[in-house]
Amino acid sequence: MELQNSKKIIDQKFSRKKILKTIGIGSISFFALKIFPLNYLLTGKNNINSSIKIKSNPLAVSRNKKGSNNVAR
Amino acid sequence: MSQDKLESNENIKQPDSNYWRSFNELYNDPVFIENSKHEFYNGVTDGFSPNELSGLSRRKFLALLGASAALAGAGCADYRDKGEIIPYNQKPEEVTLGKPTYYASTCTGCSLSCGILIKTREGRPIKIDGNPDHPVNQGKICAKGQANILNLYDPERLSTPLRRNNLGYFDNISWEIADKEILNKLNQAGDKEIAIITNQITSPSGLKIIEEFKSKFSKVNVYTYDLFNNSIKDSAWAKSYGSGKFPLIQWDAAKVVLSLEGDFLGVDGNKIENARLFSQGRDIDAIEKFNRLYVVEGNMSLTGMNADYRMRLRPDAQYEFVMCLINELSKRGISSSIITSQYSLQDFAKRFSLPGKFLNHLVNDLIANRGKAIVYSGSTLPENVHIAVNYLNEILGNTSLYRKDSTIQQAMDLSLTDYLKNLISSLDDGKVAAVIHYDSNPAYHLPSDLNYRKALSKAGVVITLTVSENESSAISDYVLPIHHNFESWGDAKTRSGFYSLLQPVISPITDTRQKEGILLSWTGIAGSYDETLYHKYLLNNWEKNIYPGLNSKMSFQQFWNSALHDGIVLVDEKVNISTEFISSSLNELKPVNKYSDYVLVLKESFALGDGRFANNGFMQELPHPVSKVTWDNYAAISEQTSKELNVKNNDLIEVKSGNNKLNIPVFIQPGCADRMIEIELGYGREKAGVVGSSVGFNANSFIKSQFSVSPWIIEGVSVTKAGGTYNLVSTQEHHAFDIERVQDLHKKRHIIQEGTLETYKKNPKFIQDNRKHELESVYKPFPYDGVKWGMAIDMNKCIGCGECIVACNVENNVPIVGKDQVEKGREMHWLRVDRYYSGTINEPSVSTQIMLCQQCDQAPCENVCPVVATNHSPDGLNQMVYNRCVGTRYCSNNCPYKVRRFNYFNFRDHFRDGYQEQPLLALLNNPEVTVRSRGVMEKCTFCLQRISDARSDAIRENRPLKGSDVTTACQDSCSTNAIKFGDINDLESDFSKFRNHELGYYVLEELNVKPNVTYLARLRNTHSEEA
């Protein structure tokens, strides 16, 4: 009786179909996110590799150290 | 009046030593008391109700958790793709990867043109500090100068030329089209005027270009203005002494300073230089040279906060006050002036309920320190006050404190009001072919009665050269984007004795041009525009006109390179300051009229200047040094005035003057004079970008070209309660302690410890006598054998300006959170300046205290972290491991100093819809410091990145690391050198002297957390009977 009840409970709680469905959707989503256009939508916003180019001015004269200590003693 | 003491007019209780931060705290407001019992403010946890949790089962929750974990793991593969890093093929000689390179330049945030040192990493500017070689600011720069780096990376900077179309919108056009069309219009001007409107011109080469432009086109007029300027003061000086401008003052040599509505430590003059020199008279190691500061002002200012004696007096009464002082001195035989015989200091004191004791001390001190004192009048005061003050200094012999080695120089004088009026009438008559706004914003700044915007519509063409959009560009026909300061070549001359140079540390980020180069290209004398056009002109000007006069032994190229390296060029220049007082100037001193009911005072904003920093989030979020209000301006009034108007904080009042009126929220300011309203300008801008637009209230309309007192002091205003409220956000009640409100609370807890100079002289150990604590601990003390980092903050020198806060924000990538988050107590500043009042509401004494992570040896935050995300280093630092932190916030709960900051959001995403996530703004971040994301705790690290850098240098050079090898960002920025940092274990060092000083104490020492920040108690230089 107990075994029958347990089987019933297990059947109710664990549906093989549901498990496989979840894994299937998960796998498809996993691969879908890797391909265009979804990968662009997710990473494009955080992509800071934009058209801004930084270039120092070659005519400016630098110094390696600050000079005399900024903080007076 | 006899030499006996003036009758005391005090009808107030004697100041007690109870410290309070706001009226809510002083009056034990139940809401305040309730809030202080909670870690977080009301509304922070709104929306959370356990009963409304979803009915999700545990099984389903685990299933979803597993699926989302799998997806999250999949998503991690492309997390934060920052692009490729490619090493140099040919590394520039001056660049060492991972080490910063510094460039000397000049700040153009205001007309003071301070020398700066720009720190760059791999070609990217990341931090601004003062140039140590600059004679004026000597290695320091103000808060606005620090924050100017954000303006370089402002995502809303204009990037292409714009032309207004028929529908009133702007189209992007190319530079070629812009040049062609504008040049066409300029050439068609004929005998009509071309007006150039600019701020103060400080560049000699820039002025020369304008002269070239004038010679090319037949009728060019140049109009210069500054919203706040010294024109009235200079005019008074010229009348008093015949010629010249108001001289610089030897603040370091003054034993007594009387400041009349003069915020010389805040916004008046060169604040950096003034603060440095003044603080040299507050040296605890030279107490015989301690100065004494008297401040007489209408509203509490930064200077007033640091006064030994402060008295509130409405600014329109300052003239009568000075005349009464002169009369009092003449009665005591100091002068024989009859011009002031009708003035009586005693009657004046009675009428204005002034404290007799204060006036007695003041007069006695001025007499006793003749020749060693200075009376300083603020720039906003009218001319008659300045003439009277010049006379007062003359009779006291204080003119010896005017500097004779250096004077202020200007390339071009500011335009007189009449000259500006001529422009308006020419515009109205249709006689102006073109108006060029030359990096200026006259539509926002010029006096409202000139009706500039209306007149501008009649100009042939309006061209604005600007870095970002503003009110003037919005009504222009062409808007041309120009280089930021750090992308520009240039020179500056603001003082005698040296020139200052600008050099670009970065090539133009977008398609902007140098403004001088644009004008030069329109003259056609040097060809069409290219990036080197102005550089060649500058070189040529220096080689032909300036270099020969320097008698340098170097070739010009060598000289130029070394000049750029240093940032300044010293020159021999004789300074002539007239010292002969012209008695006929006293004829300007007429009897005073009756005072109006209310007086309105307009003041320069400490944070925004004249409004040009409105779009700078660092400055908007910097708490006001006095009121601690962020993100808004307000009408400061006294408590008495608030009762008369029946208003409280945040209530709206209507301020009306003539046809201009403004509804503005009230802030009740302790120490404000009655019937006086003070409003800071620079707010309420319409076109200042996403951050700055519609922030605060625009009071510029009250500035008039015709005035009875001065442009910034308006009499005869009417003030009424407008109804409604506006939420002002102030940080002054944040981090209040959850303890019973008792008298002498902060004194009992020894958070603020102060004394007087006399007390210190009698008993130098009076602070140490308070430090007898029974300190027991369950922990064995850790032997810090090597370097142990510590900080000492000299509260005698700290003026509470908050420059350290901005420097720390820039150095450590502290995010801007916005007004709504500051309201919830979530401002992210690692460093704060707590401001306490003591004494009475009308004449409070102000104490400030910088509070930051104390790096406690027995830190209560370290023990409670469940994941050991915060721990202690062998060199005494309390460390944060951001990627371990899971955000329980237990550490913040346990911190007695409330210095930990939690990232409730990824503020870079949260603030203004991802404003801080924009690619350009990301360049602002210091690569040496982690950028924190949501859910982690952060706090002051004692600039660990600088410590690590110094350590690696020491290892590479095979020498021991010394405490003096490291300076923190806050220490570097402090113009008074109040912050000292170094090795506690090095007893021979200068730092050790402060760490072990007899005035040193620790905050909340009785908790036995062993903090490593020593505070040196403030000494007030009051008279001995008050010690």
Side-chain angles (χ1 to χ4, degrees):
Chain A
M1 184 67 180
E2 276 185 17
L3 190 63
Q4 278 180 336
N5 281 342
S6 303
K7 200 162 178 285
K8 216 195 254 180
I9 290 165
I10 287 166
D11 282 339
Q12 281 169 357
K13 298 289 184 193
F14 291 100
S15 160
R16 197 178 294 162
K17 215 175 168 180
K18 263 191 190 162
I19 292 170
L20 289 173
K21 201 170 155 185
T22 310
I23 291 171
I25 291 172
S27 308
I28 291 167
S29 310
F30 176 84
F31 288 111
L33 286 171
K34 293 280 194 184
I35 60 172
F36 187 84
L38 287 174
N39 64 341
Y40 174 76
L41 287 172
L42 283 178
T43 61
K45 187 183 167 193
N46 291 333
N47 184 6
I48 61 170
N49 193 12
S50 65
S51 61
I52 296 167
K53 301 258 182 277
I54 301 295
K55 191 176 156 233
S56 55
N57 192 306
L59 297 171
V61 175
S62 65
R63 27 165 121 179
N64 277 332
K65 290 197 183 295
K66 285 182 185 176
S68 51
N69 201 324
N70 266 24
V71 178
R73 298 288 178 208
Chain B
M1 179 177 293
S2 72
Q3 304 224 356
D4 295 332
K5 287 182 181 176
L6 288 163
E7 281 176 31
S8 173
N9 279 314
E10 292 103 6
N11 193 21
I12 47 174
K13 62 176 180 173
Q14 288 300 310
D16 60 25
S17 47
N18 185 19
Y19 289 94
W20 43 281
R21 286 189 279 189
S22 66
F23 286 108
N24 289 342
E25 188 171 357
L26 179 67
Y27 291 126
N28 291 327
D29 182 65
V31 172
F32 173 78
I33 291 172
E34 187 55 37
N35 278 340
S36 69
K37 291 180 183 163
H38 301 284
E39 177 75 16
F40 306 110
Y41 282 85
N42 275 339
V44 165
T45 52
D46 275 353
F48 173 70
S49 168
N51 295 332
E52 289 170 11
L53 284 177
S54 102
L56 196 67
S57 73
R58 195 179 299 163
R59 187 175 292 276
K60 248 196 190 147
F61 175 74
L62 285 173
L64 286 168
L65 188 68
S68 60
L71 283 172
C76 282
D78 281 336
Y79 179 70
R80 290 282 182 182
D81 179 15
K82 292 179 178 58
E84 293 177 345
I85 302 173
I86 303 170
Y88 283 115
N89 237 341
Q90 281 182 311
K91 183 177 77 70
E93 193 185 327
E94 69 273 11
V95 173
T96 305
L97 289 172
K99 300 299 273 183
T101 313
Y102 297 93
Y103 293 86
S105 187
T106 304
C107 179
T108 55
C110 67
S111 57
L112 294 173
S113 300
C114 296
I116 54 176
L117 212 54
I118 305 173
K119 178 181 175 187
T120 66
R121 279 289 302 270
E122 285 83 46
R124 177 161 66 90
I126 54 168
K127 183 82 166 56
I128 312 300
D129 278 305
N131 182 353
D133 299 322
H134 197 277
V136 176
N137 55 300
Q138 294 187 15
K140 309 295 177 184
I141 193 73
C142 69
K144 295 199 284 293
Q146 294 275 352
N148 202 6
I149 188 73
L150 181 50
N151 291 354
L152 172 68
Y153 297 120
D154 186 351
E156 294 174 274
R157 276 182 65 185
L158 295 170
S159 54
T160 55
L162 303 169
R163 179 184 59 197
R164 182 185 294 280
N165 59 28
N166 294 334
L167 298 171
Y169 299 111
F170 283 102
D171 297 323
N172 291 341
I173 56 173
S174 67
W175 276 106
E176 288 72 32
I177 294 173
D179 278 340
K180 190 173 160 201
E181 290 182 9
I182 291 170
L183 211 51
N184 202 27
K185 291 199 189 313
L186 292 177
N187 286 328
Q188 286 171 1
D191 57 357
K192 283 191 177 180
E193 184 181 333
I194 296 175
I196 298 178
I197 306 178
T198 173
N199 291 124
Q200 179 83 62
I201 297 176
T202 56
S203 165
S205 301
L207 183 65
K208 206 158 170 292
I209 286 186
I210 290 180
E211 297 300 324
E212 310 267 16
F213 189 83
K214 275 173 148 179
S215 59
K216 155 81 178 178
F217 299 99
S218 55
K219 201 173 168 197
V220 176
N221 287 330
V222 181
Y223 304 88
T224 60
Y225 77 91
D226 260 339
L227 185 59
F228 289 92
N229 56 69
N230 278 341
S231 53
I232 293 180
K233 204 175 202 173
D234 290 339
S235 156
W237 180 265
K239 285 184 179 167
S240 302
Y241 288 93
S243 63
K245 299 201 182 300
F246 188 80
L248 299 162
I249 293 172
Q250 297 179 60
W251 297 104
D252 50 336
K255 288 283 284 175
V256 172
V257 177
L258 167 61
S259 174
L260 305 171
E261 201 71 30
D263 191 12
F264 65 92
L265 296 176
V267 296
D268 234 1
N270 192 320
K271 177 257 171 196
I272 302 293
E273 188 182 39
N274 294 346
R276 183 186 79 249
L277 292 174
F278 177 78
S279 67
Q280 287 176 18
R282 306 300 281 203
D283 192 345
I284 47 177
D285 289 330
I287 55 171
E288 64 283 356
K289 291 186 191 165
F290 235 67
N291 57 29
R292 182 174 285 150
L293 176 61
Y294 289 87
V295 174
V296 180
E297 58 185 5
N299 188 30
M300 183 71 75
S301 66
L302 192 54
T303 308
M305 290 208 306
N306 290 283
D308 296 301
Y309 289 101
R310 183 187 175 271
M311 187 176 80
R312 55 182 196 143
L313 180 68
R314 44 190 285 165
D316 48 349
Q318 292 278 6
Y319 170 69
E320 191 179 347
F321 176 62
V322 178
M323 299 302 270
C324 291
L325 270 182
I326 296 173
N327 184 46
E328 182 65 19
L329 291 172
S330 68
K331 283 180 182 172
R332 297 201 194 189
I334 303 302
S335 78
S336 55
S337 169
I338 57 166
I339 56 158
T340 56
S341 55
Q342 70 268 46
Y343 297 97
S344 158
L345 190 59
Q346 189 166 28
D347 292 342
F348 182 80
K350 260 199 195 123
R351 274 175 28 229
F352 284 92
S353 304
L354 302 178
K357 209 190 271 187
F358 172 100
L359 294 169
N360 272 327
H361 288 322
L362 172 63
V363 172
N364 292 337
D365 268 341
L366 286 176
I367 293 172
N369 291 281
R370 270 177 288 170
K372 292 176 288 181
I374 194 76
V375 181
Y376 177 79
S377 47
S379 308
T380 54
L381 289 172
E383 194 177 81
N384 55 2
V385 178
H386 294 299
I387 294 175
V389 166
N390 290 343
Y391 180 62
L392 182 55
N393 279 323
E394 183 71 28
I395 59 176
L396 286 170
N398 294 339
T399 52
S400 55
L401 260 72
Y402 293 142
R403 284 177 66 177
K404 312 249 182 331
D405 60 325
S406 176
T407 183
I408 293 174
Q409 286 186 350
Q410 288 164 347
M412 188 168 170
D413 284 339
L414 292 176
S415 301
L416 297 172
T417 311
D418 287 342
Y419 195 43
L420 285 167
K421 283 180 180 170
N422 289 344
L423 167 65
I424 302 300
S425 61
S426 298
L427 278 167
D428 285 334
D429 295 340
K431 293 179 183 167
V432 178
V435 173
I436 302 175
H437 298 139
Y438 195 56
D439 196 16
S440 61
N441 191 6
Y444 177 69
H445 290 139
L446 286 185
S448 57
D449 57 344
L450 292 181
N451 285 320
Y452 178 72
R453 287 191 199 211
K454 192 171 158 216
L456 196 64
S457 59
K458 296 181 186 146
V461 66
V462 181
I463 305 151
T464 298
L465 277 63
T466 181
V467 177
S468 305
E469 70 158 345
N470 55 36
E471 288 76 4
S472 301
S473 72
I475 52 175
S476 300
D477 298 306
Y478 292 91
V479 183
L480 305 178
I482 58 174
H483 289 345
H484 183 270
N485 178 194
F486 304 152
E487 297 166 329
S488 305
W489 287 104
D491 54 8
K493 192 153 198 336
T494 52
R495 294 277 181 96
S496 59
F498 67 92
Y499 288 87
S500 197
L501 291 171
L502 277 87
Q503 57 176 340
V505 301
I506 187 171
S507 292
I509 298 175
T510 52
D511 190 17
T512 55
R513 288 185 175 182
Q514 175 114 26
K515 65 178 190 258
E516 290 89 350
I518 295 172
L519 272 194
L520 197 55
S521 67
W522 290 344
T523 62
I525 55 168
S528 57
Y529 186 92
D530 66 61
E531 256 326 294
T532 60
L533 180 70
Y534 181 58
H535 179 230
K536 284 180 188 153
Y537 183 89
L538 184 70
L539 273 176
N540 191 47
N541 183 40
W542 270 77
E543 190 170 7
K544 297 257 168 8
N545 300 317
I546 302 173
Y547 169 71
L550 301 175
N551 299 319
S552 173
K553 293 184 174 57
M554 291 186 271
S555 68
F556 175 71
Q557 192 56 48
Q558 268 181 316
F559 157 79
W560 181 250
N561 287 341
S562 66
L564 287 181
H565 174 275
D566 296 344
I568 55 148
V569 175
L570 295 172
V571 294
D572 279 327
E573 271 179 323
K574 278 199 174 35
V575 170
N576 284 324
I577 294 182
S578 174
T579 53
E580 204 64 45
F581 189 82
I582 299 173
S583 311
S584 59
S585 65
L586 299 176
N587 298 336
E588 303 275 338
L589 304 179
K590 301 279 186 287
V592 68
N593 295 327
K594 199 164 157 270
Y595 298 115
S596 65
D597 197 14
Y598 280 95
V599 64
L600 170 64
V601 177
L602 302 172
K603 203 172 166 202
E604 184 178 352
S605 166
F606 180 82
L608 309 188
D610 60 2
R612 59 185 85 176
F613 283 82
N615 206 38
N616 190 307
F618 285 140
M619 298 313 294
Q620 289 279 13
E621 199 147 287
L622 177 69
H624 189 276
V626 180
S627 64
K628 304 297 173 199
V629 170
T630 62
W631 289 98
D632 275 306
N633 61 342
Y634 48 84
I637 60 174
S638 69
E639 196 196 25
Q640 177 60 30
T641 308
S642 73
K643 283 178 184 160
E644 287 170 13
L645 293 170
N646 191 25
V647 292
K648 49 188 192 310
N649 272 349
N650 299 346
D651 284 349
L652 288 169
I653 54 170
E654 183 189 87
V655 180
K656 196 170 170 193
S657 169
N659 292 332
N660 300 105
K661 60 181 179 185
L662 177 71
N663 283 5
I664 187 167
V666 149
F667 187 87
I668 303 172
Q669 176 61 52
C672 187
D674 294 331
R675 300 280 172 122
M676 179 192 138
I677 302 112
E678 184 175 277
I679 302 175
E680 284 194 349
L681 299 185
Y683 290 84
R685 289 188 58 186
E686 302 148 3
K687 299 279 181 194
V690 164
V691 176
S693 295
S694 306
V695 172
F697 301 84
N698 185 359
N700 282 20
S701 56
F702 290 114
I703 295 188
K704 300 273 191 283
S705 58
Q706 304 280 4
F707 45 85
S708 56
V709 182
S710 87
W712 309 283
I713 298 174
I714 294 109
E715 283 189 308
V717 298
S718 76
V719 184
T720 48
K721 184 173 177 175
T725 58
Y726 179 89
N727 204 16
L728 287 172
V729 170
S730 166
T731 63
Q732 68 184 7
E733 287 177 3
H734 293 178
H735 319 296
F737 291 107
D738 168 27
I739 36 181
E740 197 184 336
R741 305 284 112 189
V742 295
Q743 192 161 357
D744 298 343
L745 169 66
H746 290 90
K747 192 182 175 194
K748 282 191 171 141
R749 296 301 302 270
H750 293 155
I751 293 162
I752 295 280
Q753 294 196 44
E754 296 178 336
T756 64
L757 191 63
E758 291 302 319
T759 307
Y760 180 58
K761 281 178 182 168
K762 285 179 194 154
N763 177 17
K765 300 220 181 293
F766 77 98
I767 290 292
Q768 302 308 312
D769 293 340
N770 283 334
R771 288 188 59 206
K772 294 184 178 67
H773 298 286
E774 291 292 327
L775 300 173
E776 293 180 11
S777 172
V778 298
Y779 302 107
K780 258 194 311 192
F782 182 84
Y784 293 98
D785 296 324
V787 172
K788 183 168 190 276
W789 302 106
M791 189 177 272
I793 301 176
D794 188 350
M795 301 315 298
N796 292 285
K797 297 207 171 191
C798 173
I799 58 175
C801 60
E803 280 163 7
C804 45
I805 299 174
V806 180
C808 174
N809 290 352
V810 176
E811 172 79 12
N812 295 296
N813 304 333
V814 174
I816 298 158
V817 306
K819 182 178 171 182
D820 57 334
Q821 294 298 309
V822 176
E823 191 176 6
K824 292 180 177 163
R826 292 176 182 172
E827 65 274 13
M828 294 302 289
H829 298 152
W830 288 5
L831 191 53
R832 66 174 191 265
V833 180
D834 287 336
R835 186 265 298 120
Y836 299 92
Y837 294 117
S838 56
T840 62
I841 292 164
N842 289 333
E843 301 292 353
S845 220
V846 185
S847 310
T848 54
Q849 184 175 64
I850 302 173
M851 185 48 66
L852 64 161
C853 176
Q854 306 284 290
Q855 313 286 345
C856 311
D857 284 347
Q858 291 177 179
C861 57
E862 290 171 6
N863 299 330
V864 298
C865 179
V867 294
V868 200
T870 180
N871 47 48
H872 219 76
S873 73
D875 51 0
L877 299 177
N878 177 280
Q879 296 176 137
M880 263 312 294
V881 185
Y882 300 124
N883 49 1
R884 279 189 81 93
C885 178
V886 291
T888 62
R889 307 196 293 279
Y890 200 159
C891 51
S892 171
N893 189 57
N894 238 28
C895 175
Y897 305 101
K898 296 292 171 245
V899 289
R900 284 180 161 266
R901 302 281 168 265
F902 186 68
N903 284 276
Y904 285 93
F905 298 96
N906 176 2
F907 286 112
R908 282 158 187 80
D909 251 336
H910 181 79
F911 177 79
R912 300 276 201 272
D913 297 325
Y915 182 82
Q916 290 174 107
E917 282 278 353
Q918 296 186 65
L920 185 57
L921 207 48
L923 300 177
L924 169 68
N925 291 321
N926 182 356
E928 298 160 4
V929 178
T930 311
V931 175
R932 286 79 57 192
S933 185
R934 179 171 170 239
V936 299
M937 192 65 79
E938 59 184 62
K939 61 170 192 66
C940 167
T941 60
F942 270 4
C943 283
L944 182 59
Q945 67 278 7
R946 293 181 177 212
I947 293 172
S948 301
D949 197 38
R951 183 177 288 119
S952 62
D953 282 345
I955 292 169
R956 196 178 59 250
E957 292 165 17
N958 200 23
R959 58 168 173 83
L961 177 63
K962 294 197 309 289
S964 55
D965 290 341
V966 180
T967 54
T968 56
C970 50
Q971 180 189 14
D972 272 348
S973 69
C974 181
S975 45
T976 59
N977 295 318
I979 300 176
K980 329 277 181 199
F981 183 77
D983 180 9
I984 290 169
N985 288 340
D986 184 357
L987 298 172
E988 307 294 317
S989 64
D990 284 342
F991 167 72
S992 187
K993 191 175 66 176
F994 294 98
R995 166 83 178 173
N996 299 309
H997 201 280
E998 52 207 355
L999 285 173
Y1001 70 95
Y1002 302 101
V1003 176
L1004 300 179
E1005 191 178 6
E1006 67 276 15
L1007 297 180
N1008 202 19
V1009 296
K1010 296 193 172 19
N1012 283 307
V1013 178
T1014 310
Y1015 292 87
L1016 274 62
R1018 180 164 172 191
L1019 299 175
R1020 294 187 190 269
N1021 190 3
T1022 51
H1023 283 82
S1024 52
E1025 61 268 26
E1026 292 168 17

